[in-house]
Amino acid sequence: MAERVIAACDGASKGNPGPAAWAWVVADGDEKPVRWEAGALGTATNNVAELTALERLLSTVDANVPLEVRMDSQYAMKAVTTWLPGWKRKGWKTAAGKPVANQELVQRIDALLEGRAVEFKYVPAHQVDGDPLNDFADRAASQAAVVQQDAGSALGSPEPPPSAPSAAKPPRARKSAPAKRAASSGSSSRTIKAKFPGRCRCGRTYAAGVDIAKNPDGWGHPECRTTDA
């Protein structure tokens, strides 16, 4: 059997719905990006972008090769690993009896998964020292969504630019008593202007230019900031 391929995929929508794009990246034996592709979707939701990214990745990788897929979208992952069997039994209806959202995309992914060895691995998004392949796919999808242009290694495109958390680091807070109280209150925490669009730990996106604050697991809305216990 061929050696397992490790890959990641991600989608982005600037507005949800808004300008959207998908991206996937395949790693070499050292888990370094070796092949990638990103594509513009016009106006679409984040869920559509996430599912499209998975569909394009599965269409690209040889079906006879075992595949590990790293994703930060719990919706897309659960759609094809947890909810899909029940949807099929119910005639593509949800537990509430409503039509399954994005049914055509889910059905295409279902067909692409038939008879192949695929392991899905959830990786949290926008983490300090997080999964580098997921970060690469996130940056590629985000850039393609903003510029609405396809990109990829086959096109000779440069690597997508750094995301906001790695591009800008706020000054370190002073270790004085007032500074500690400010950090614990959350609402008075230090903020900076986001250089790039991103996604908060709460799941909502934020636009470039808005105030964001450092959370224990990344960057996001100031009101979503929590302190370590």
Side-chain angles (χ1 to χ4, degrees), residues 168 191-196 209-212:
T191 62
I192 63 171
K193 297 291 185 183
K195 288 189 175 182
F196 302 95
V210 304
D211 288 336
I212 56 174

Side-chain angles (χ1 to χ4, degrees), residues 204-228:
R204 294 179 293 132
T205 58
Y206 57 81
V210 304
D211 288 336
I212 56 174
K214 184 67 175 294
N215 294 317
D217 52 1
W219 292 86
H221 307 111
E223 63 270 24
C224 296
R225 186 183 189 277
T226 59
T227 56
D228 293 321

Side-chain angles (χ1 to χ4, degrees), residues 8-9 16 21 28 67 88 102 106 148 150-151 171 179 199 208:
C9 60
N16 198 27
D28 60 14
L67 175 65
K88 294 168 72 173
N102 309 312
V106 176
Q148 284 297 293
D150 298 346
R199 188 180 302 119

Side-chain angles (χ1 to χ4, degrees), residues 4 9 21 31 49 69 112 114 133-134 136 150 172 185 187 229:
R4 182 179 64 163
C9 60
E31 298 194 11
V69 180
L112 288 166
E114 185 69 28
L133 289 180
N134 174 254
F136 190 105
D150 298 346
R172 182 176 297 175
S185 66
S187 60

Side-chain angles (χ1 to χ4, degrees), residues 134-153:
N134 174 254
D135 178 67
F136 190 105
D138 176 82
R139 290 185 284 119
S142 183
Q143 181 185 44
V146 171
V147 301
Q148 284 297 293
Q149 291 182 356
D150 298 346
S153 52

Side-chain angles (χ1 to χ4, degrees), residues 70-125:
R70 300 177 183 178
M71 307 177 68
D72 62 30
S73 170
Q74 294 200 47
Y75 162 78
M77 184 178 295
K78 288 183 177 179
V80 300
T81 62
T82 304
W83 303 328
L84 193 149
W87 288 342
K88 294 168 72 173
R89 286 195 305 269
K90 295 179 174 67
W92 293 99
K93 294 291 197 310
T94 66
K98 296 181 179 179
V100 171
N102 309 312
Q103 178 180 328
E104 292 184 2
L105 262 174
V106 176
Q107 287 176 320
R108 290 201 293 270
I109 293 170
D110 183 34
L112 288 166
L113 289 171
E114 185 69 28
R116 65 192 295 176
V118 180
E119 177 186 354
F120 290 91
K121 181 179 179 181
Y122 174 73
V123 289

